[in-house]
Amino acid sequence: MKASYLKPLLPLRDIVIFPSMVIPLFVGREKSIKALQEVMKTDKSIVLVTQKNSEIDDPVGGDLYQYGCLSKVLQLLKLPDGTVKVLVEGEKRIKILKHNENDSNYLTCEVEISEDQNTSKDLEPLALGLVKKFEKLQILSKKDLNDTSNNLKNLKYPSQIANNISSNLNIQIFEKQELLEMIDLKKRLEKIHQLIEKE
């Protein structure tokens, strides 16, 4: 039996968070702010899940994808206009088992950690090849290289490389979500390869 955890949930519009990525978010919805205030009192960990349709203002379980990212709030800043800026770090991919919709203050859900599968040493050459390809792509698309590729060069594990590139690929939200949901690391690396080739 996998352990399940009950966690506050923060729905995201137009962004998919991957494990080991650090990303600033601007949060304006009351329920989301309440969820953040709640986790700041405890272990600062919150589940970030992307909405299927970013236009829905008050999403419920059915409006969210089943996979998200258990994340840690590194920093929280209240802005003068009432919104909150948070810096979050994705930690682990999770699967949502159940949404608890009885508590109206903020969303909570029951999740289990969804570890990578098929993570053999043989994937390292594939992952390193992707780094090279991705760097070429960045140069071709004249993206600002400093951040991404420096980080990429320091990553050792294929799963981290996959997460980093997935996060930075210029693809649709649903495509990023597909990558997040691929538990099989080899398949994920192959899919990233296809996406880079396509670009």
Side-chain angles (χ1 to χ4, degrees):
M1 255 314 269
K2 282 188 176 170
S4 68
Y5 307 87
L6 183 65
K7 291 282 177 193
L9 170 81
L10 181 66
L12 303 173
R13 306 181 200 239
D14 300 323
I15 183 170
V16 177
I17 305 270
F18 288 86
S20 71
M21 302 305 297
V22 174
I23 290 182
L25 299 173
F26 290 90
V27 180
R29 293 188 270 197
E30 200 183 328
K31 277 187 179 180
S32 299
I33 292 174
K34 284 195 170 129
L36 284 168
Q37 287 166 340
E38 200 49 44
V39 303
M40 291 312 280
K41 296 177 197 162
T42 54
D43 61 356
K44 299 188 173 52
S45 82
I46 192 163
V47 171
L48 300 175
V49 183
T50 306
Q51 290 178 212
K52 295 174 185 170
N53 172 356
S54 63
E55 283 162 24
I56 294 177
D57 267 338
D58 194 7
V60 291
D63 302 319
L64 304 169
Y65 286 109
Q66 283 307 105
Y67 281 85
C69 196
L70 184 62
S71 307
K72 212 168 204 50
V73 179
L74 303 177
Q75 211 175 24
L76 185 142
L77 195 64
K78 287 186 179 148
L79 301 176
D81 63 359
T83 57
V84 169
K85 182 184 179 189
V86 282
L87 192 63
V88 292
E89 178 175 19
E91 293 191 322
K92 289 188 177 295
R93 183 191 315 111
I94 51 90
K95 180 175 190 208
I96 295 179
L97 305 173
K98 193 170 116 212
H99 287 278
N100 299 3
E101 281 158 12
N102 48 10
D103 181 9
S104 57
N105 284 334
Y106 55 88
L107 298 170
T108 57
C109 60
E110 223 169 284
V111 300
E112 64 179 20
I113 306 286
S114 185
E115 299 285 2
D116 282 338
Q117 288 165 2
N118 212 347
T119 53
S120 65
K121 277 262 184 261
D122 319 345
L123 294 178
E124 284 173 17
L126 178 59
L128 294 172
L130 280 182
V131 173
K132 287 199 179 67
K133 272 195 191 310
F134 185 64
E135 284 174 349
K136 274 199 191 115
L137 177 68
Q138 296 284 67
I139 291 163
L140 287 173
S141 59
K142 304 203 165 35
K143 280 264 180 72
D144 184 18
L145 269 180
N146 314 346
D147 284 356
T148 327
S149 63
N150 282 344
N151 287 346
L152 265 175
K153 287 202 177 71
N154 301 331
L155 296 180
K156 295 188 182 65
Y157 301 107
S159 62
Q160 289 177 326
I161 290 172
N163 288 331
N164 188 303
I165 294 181
S166 300
S167 183
N168 287 295
L169 274 175
N170 190 12
I171 53 178
Q172 301 280 341
I173 288 296
F174 75 90
E175 294 179 289
K176 288 198 174 181
Q177 183 67 31
E178 271 175 24
L179 289 172
L180 180 70
E181 293 185 11
M182 283 188 176
I183 308 290
D184 184 318
L185 183 57
K186 181 165 193 265
K187 286 196 179 128
R188 194 169 352 132
L189 289 165
E190 285 165 355
K191 175 76 177 169
I192 292 170
H193 189 270
Q194 284 168 10
L195 289 165
I196 292 179
E197 290 289 316
K198 201 168 77 183
E199 284 211 34

